[in-house]
Amino acid sequence: MKKLLAIAVIYFLTFSVNAQIETPQPSPLGKIEQKVGLTDVSVEYSRPGMRGRTIFGDLVPFGEVWRTGANANTKITFSDDVKINGKELKKGSYGIYTVPNEGSWEVMFYADTNNWGVPQEWDDSKVALKATAETMEMPMKMETFTIVIDDLKNNSATLNFIWENTIAMLNIEVPADEKAMASIERVMNGPSANDYFSAATFYHEAGKDLEKAHKWVTKATEMAGDQAFWMLRRKSLIEADMGKKEQAIATAKRSLASAEKAKNADYVKMNKESIAEWGGSK
């Protein structure tokens, strides 16, 4: 009887701890992901509703810092450095806090994203950027707080905060031209030393055509020079597997000299061991 009672107690406690009741949230989580030019922008935020309330100037007072949503702080992430209303902002994640006013909003990008609402102790040193968002009155009301990335162009977009009959807008500029030009230059100039090296390494490790692997790794070492001891090391291994031991030893000695100059003990050791294995000497 005592054993059965103990099992029942354990079952009850386990069920009580693990059981969770799920109900709809009054301010459900929302997430948007948008490619702007060649930059990834994402926003995570909670979306409160009006529910018959007056929002700006009442529920959200004018002139006070607002979490810009509900629950945890609203978070925005940029994959590249961007400009907000012409001001530079480094890539990364930021909490968005705003100070709504009747004619405009002050928008702050806060470096600490681990807050539930407005930080208890505001730290101005964590404000990476401040910008003024223009506001417009809409002819209809938006029931649920909404953030939209709109007006998409190659190099820019608009970040919109919409609720009640107010829309606040910020301009985002992204480095699409710079990234596109860099990509064009890289592709039009042909493969880099790293591209040739990666292809050769894959072919070698996968047991594919060693002649091609050797051709590519040779091209890589010619482009990178003797300082790329890791590339020379791969070339020596390919040559050894091709049965070209004399070439492998000569290449390994070049890799060894470069590794010694760079004070890379691992490659020094590996090259010395391979040279000895292939019947050479330093």
Side-chain angles (χ1 to χ4, degrees):
M1 185 65 180
K2 289 183 178 180
K3 186 176 181 181
L4 289 174
L5 181 60
I7 292 173
V9 170
I10 292 171
Y11 175 81
F12 174 76
L13 291 174
T14 302
F15 180 79
S16 297
V17 170
N18 292 333
Q20 293 182 350
I21 297 175
E22 290 188 310
T23 59
Q25 298 299 305
S27 300
L29 180 67
K31 183 173 182 179
I32 57 174
E33 295 180 340
Q34 180 63 59
K35 178 79 75 173
V36 181
L38 295 172
T39 299
D40 294 317
V41 183
S42 66
V43 181
E44 295 179 48
Y45 70 114
S46 292
R47 306 183 61 194
M50 289 177 60
R51 300 197 294 277
R53 300 172 294 183
T54 299
I55 304 302
F56 297 111
D58 190 356
L59 179 67
V60 178
F62 289 132
E64 295 184 13
V65 178
W66 178 42
R67 69 179 71 189
T68 320
N71 304 326
N73 56 206
T74 292
K75 183 172 75 172
I76 190 167
T77 302
F78 302 100
S79 64
D80 297 304
D81 296 350
V82 299
K83 290 183 179 180
I84 305 294
N85 282 10
K87 299 178 181 179
E88 294 184 359
L89 182 65
K90 294 294 183 183
K91 68 179 181 180
S93 296
Y94 300 91
I96 296 181
Y97 296 100
T98 52
V99 179
N101 292 293
E102 291 190 66
S104 64
W105 289 15
E106 183 179 56
V107 183
M108 294 166 285
F109 293 81
Y110 201 73
D112 182 0
T113 62
N114 298 311
N115 293 288
W116 186 267
V118 179
Q120 292 184 351
E121 294 185 11
W122 184 267
D123 186 349
D124 277 327
S125 68
K126 293 181 179 180
V127 178
L129 184 144
K130 287 183 180 180
T132 300
E134 295 182 2
T135 61
M136 289 179 57
E137 184 175 332
M138 300 190 301
M140 70 293 187
K141 291 186 177 181
M142 177 71 75
E143 170 65 29
T144 306
F145 176 60
T146 301
I147 297 177
V148 177
I149 299 174
D150 197 14
D151 193 20
L152 295 167
K153 297 182 175 65
N154 285 346
N155 298 299
S156 66
T158 302
L159 181 63
N160 302 293
F161 306 94
I162 311 169
W163 203 13
E164 199 175 35
N165 61 348
T166 296
I167 177 170
M169 300 163 288
L170 284 178
N171 179 255
I172 304 173
E173 295 177 59
V174 296
D177 283 351
E178 295 90 330
K179 293 188 73 174
M181 291 301 294
S183 176
I184 291 169
E185 289 290 333
R186 184 183 68 80
V187 173
M188 298 305 289
N189 286 334
S192 67
N194 285 331
D195 292 328
Y196 281 116
F197 176 68
S198 296
T201 299
F202 172 73
Y203 259 52
H204 183 215
E205 292 183 347
K208 295 184 181 295
D209 190 334
L210 290 181
E211 290 290 343
K212 277 188 178 181
H214 188 257
K215 178 181 178 181
W216 289 333
V217 79
T218 299
K219 185 71 174 177
T221 56
E222 288 173 351
M223 294 172 71
D226 274 16
Q227 67 269 21
F229 53 84
W230 60 95
M231 293 185 181
L232 289 168
R233 167 69 180 168
R234 176 63 63 177
K235 184 182 179 185
S236 73
L237 294 174
I238 293 172
E239 288 168 343
D241 286 346
M242 295 173 72
K244 301 178 178 181
K245 293 294 176 68
E246 289 186 7
Q247 284 183 243
I249 291 168
T251 302
K253 287 182 177 180
R254 289 169 61 194
S255 177
L256 173 61
S258 181
E260 287 177 332
K261 187 175 181 180
K263 298 181 180 180
N264 190 299
D266 290 338
Y267 275 82
V268 168
K269 181 176 183 295
M270 288 188 292
N271 279 308
K272 284 183 176 180
E273 290 174 349
S274 293
I275 291 170
E277 179 187 343
W278 299 331
S281 59
K282 182 178 174 182

